Amino acid sequence: MKKLENYISGSWVTGDGDGQALYDAVNGEAIYSATTKGLDFASVLDYGRRVGNPALRKLTFHERGRMLRALAQYLMGRKEEFYALSYHSGATRADSWIDIEGGIGNLFANASLRRKFPDLPYCTDGEAIGLSKGGTFMGHHILVPKEGVALHINAYNFPIWGMLEKCAVNWLAGMPAVVKPASITSYLTEAVVRAIIESGILPEGALQLLCGSAGDLLEHVTAQDVVTFTGSKSTGLLLKSNRRILEESVSFNMEADSLNCIVLAPDVKPGSPEWELFIKETRKEITVKAGQKCTAIRRIFAPDDVLEDVYIALGKALSQTPIGSPRNEKVRMGALASLGQREEVRNNAQKLLATAQLVYGSLDSVELLDADGEKGAFLSPLLLLESDPFRNEAVHDIECFGPVSTVMPYKDLDEAVRLAKRGKGSLCCSIVTADNKIATEFVVGAATHHGRILVLNQECAKESTGHGSPLPLLVHGGPGRAGGGEEMGGVRGVKHYLQRTAIQGSPTTITAITQVYQPNAQGIDPGKHPFRKYYEELQVGDQIVTGKRVITPEDIDAFADLSGDHFYAHIRETDFTGTMFERQVAHGYFIMSAAAGLFVDGSDLGPVLLNYGIDELRFTKPVYPGAELTIRFTCKEKVPQDQREATDIPKGIVKWLVEMLDETGEHVGIATILTMVKRKDA
């Protein structure tokens, strides 16, 4: 029996003593042991803060993102090692795909997310705020990486995904991680951490691993740390109420197991496409990972007039699910993670059966392929029927963390909403319906109690990721019983590891800090036309003020003919009585085009490759014939671009603030244009 090692302070070390024995879920053999006994937990956190944090903080979001992409590619190259090891946990290859490639997929997704951030170690948050009439005093918000560590206490069911979906986010944010997986499947986490360390891609101190008890780890956290927990509600509450966490106001994100549900809408009848989708999706969520998913369907709500049809159809679908050794290619459901987990599921199922009845499966026996039901942690899928879900509360309170789900009736959609909310908060909920009016009523009514709602129908089914699949760019979490936390969520998730600080000062100072040009800041004389500068040479704040162009009636007429836009306000002969305008007014798009004619310098080939687009275009004041148009043109922000192919031209995107001014100095329009600019070393 091999002893797992902990990776702390830059070294692999074993804890003292024999440790906790870890067993193969399929045959019951002891395969590993894990312990953290004798480790100095205070020094583990201190090492992460002193070594890992500064190394990550100095990297920009784009450098961190590229680091994640490189790590994802490396781990994908070693995925078969992880698949072979994952069979010990009772997971089929399809189950393990969620854990292994789903986890690596989080690295890829967050690597791509770098494009939402500047090429700086920190970023702005929200819009700038003017704080004075004269425009010399303003406010903004910035987000900087916290100076602590992200401590992740993870559940046993997804030992790889659980680590990577969290670490991808904290690494992109610029914080190191200490990972404490659940012991019974920590051998998988250890294998992936070994691969990560061997890759040499992460800076030293960016990742540490503890295989075994958390000991007094939480007694050493500080206000700069972030703690995340995935697991049971009772354990989460115990951790969240830790004295140190409360005293230090430590950020704590909790994702607890919840009583997720699926609703068959009243419009769906047996034999319809949505009916088949409902049966298929529910069967899948009961059997995938042997029901050991925080998002698995525990409660099934169906109209009372089709209730019997539902549990008969589900029973038939479940009976066609081969169970046994995950190494057998015919098997579609493997074992629970341990005999202890199986016993806990059986005990909780017995509690539900005090008022419910079993309509499919057996608590005591199961037909298996290539497996021993005594040695392995196998359990038949169990489908229960609770006929009075408003009176009997157990089904809305007790979770069987395995292949167990309960069917319940409802009379109308209002009852379905009320029953969905009886779970007191869940990670996800699904409704199967082809009626968008029903979908709208249910979603609006039930959203207060669910972190995510899937509306499943024939239109989206082919590409739907399904009820139980959290996605990196959407929030994963839920209110109430589900823990009240949020994980992943794209940019939202990254912000959990950043400190938001309000900053105040002059526009010029705020521009210098944020590296985004703020209106009213002092411009910089570029020395030559900015379009003649390469990407590296441009500075945020480079600014020119163009010459003037007088807008004539002939200009407006010609643009109307050229564009085909003969809106009444652009026609000279219009009677403007009762309108918003005094007389013929220039097209806004003509003013934007005329602006380009003033600020563009294209007399010869230069570093500007092309116009990439326009953002935030506004027309703020009518422009009448005789107006004198001047443009203030300023380098607003620079966004790097990676070379996807070796033959790609090295380049970046430059955002320019285009201020369109009339002869009075007032704005008649404002826009942000984007150009693709060549790098000097191209």
Side-chain angles (χ1 to χ4, degrees), residues 512-592:
I513 294 171
T514 63
Q515 284 300 290
V516 176
Y517 179 78
Q518 308 296 331
N520 299 316
Q522 295 176 9
I524 300 171
D525 182 355
K528 56 184 176 181
H529 195 286
F531 276 17
R532 296 183 178 274
K533 286 189 171 187
Y534 287 92
Y535 181 84
E536 300 94 323
E537 296 175 324
L538 284 165
Q539 297 183 69
V540 170
D542 276 357
Q543 185 179 91
I544 59 169
V545 178
T546 72
K548 297 179 179 181
R549 172 172 177 169
V550 177
I551 306 301
T552 68
E554 290 75 20
D555 289 331
I556 302 171
D557 294 344
F559 191 83
D561 290 337
L562 180 64
S563 65
D565 180 355
H566 295 284
F567 185 63
Y568 80 88
H570 309 312
I571 308 302
R572 295 195 209 187
E573 294 76 19
T574 298
D575 179 0
F576 287 92
T577 304
T579 72
M580 295 179 64
F581 306 106
E582 300 171 6
R583 50 198 171 98
Q584 182 188 30
V585 66
H587 304 70
Y589 296 116
F590 167 61
I591 298 303
M592 183 68 238

Side-chain angles (χ1 to χ4, degrees), residues 60 62-63 66 114 118-119 531-538 606-610 638-643 648-654 675-682:
T60 70
H62 286 253
E63 289 171 329
R66 290 191 288 270
R114 71 189 184 278
D119 194 21
F531 276 17
R532 296 183 178 274
K533 286 189 171 187
Y534 287 92
Y535 181 84
E536 300 94 323
E537 296 175 324
L538 284 165
V608 177
L609 299 171
L610 53 84
K638 296 168 62 179
V639 182
Q641 279 202 327
D642 297 332
Q643 286 181 263
D648 287 352
I649 297 174
K651 57 189 177 295
I653 301 299
V654 180
T675 59
M676 189 176 285
V677 181
K678 187 188 298 186
R679 291 183 179 273
K680 196 169 187 177
D681 55 2

Side-chain angles (χ1 to χ4, degrees), residues 61 64-66 68-69 103-115 117 164-170 172 472-473 488-491 493-494:
F61 284 104
R64 297 172 201 146
R66 290 191 288 270
L68 294 183
R69 183 181 61 188
I104 296 171
N106 272 275
L107 294 174
F108 277 121
N110 280 277
S112 298
L113 196 62
R114 71 189 184 278
R115 300 185 183 100
F117 294 94
L164 295 181
E165 61 103 357
K166 294 181 176 70
C167 286
V169 182
N170 67 248
L172 182 61
L473 301 185
M488 302 189 291
V491 171
V494 177

Side-chain angles (χ1 to χ4, degrees), residues 29 43 55 104 136 207 285 342 352 384 439 455 474 482 560 562 594 603 605 613 625 628 642 653 659 661:
E29 294 180 2
S43 69
I104 296 171
T136 62
L207 175 61
E285 289 302 318
R342 182 178 69 177
L352 295 182
L384 281 60
V455 180
L474 293 177
L562 180 64
S603 56
L605 293 177
E628 295 181 344
D642 297 332
I653 301 299
E659 297 175 273
L661 311 170

Side-chain angles (χ1 to χ4, degrees), residues 447-523:
T448 53
H449 286 60
H450 304 284
R452 174 167 57 89
I453 298 179
L454 165 68
V455 180
L456 185 61
N457 57 32
Q458 189 179 13
E459 184 179 355
C460 71
K462 187 175 181 180
E463 295 186 304
S464 169
T465 51
H467 167 95
S469 299
L471 298 171
L473 301 185
L474 293 177
V475 167
H476 178 48
R481 180 190 175 113
E486 291 184 349
E487 292 182 356
M488 302 189 291
V491 171
R492 292 180 182 88
V494 177
K495 291 180 180 180
H496 290 312
Y497 301 93
L498 302 171
Q499 174 62 46
R500 180 182 293 103
T501 301
I503 56 174
Q504 298 168 293
S506 73
T508 305
T509 299
I510 302 301
T511 294
I513 294 171
T514 63
Q515 284 300 290
V516 176
Y517 179 78
Q518 308 296 331
N520 299 316
Q522 295 176 9

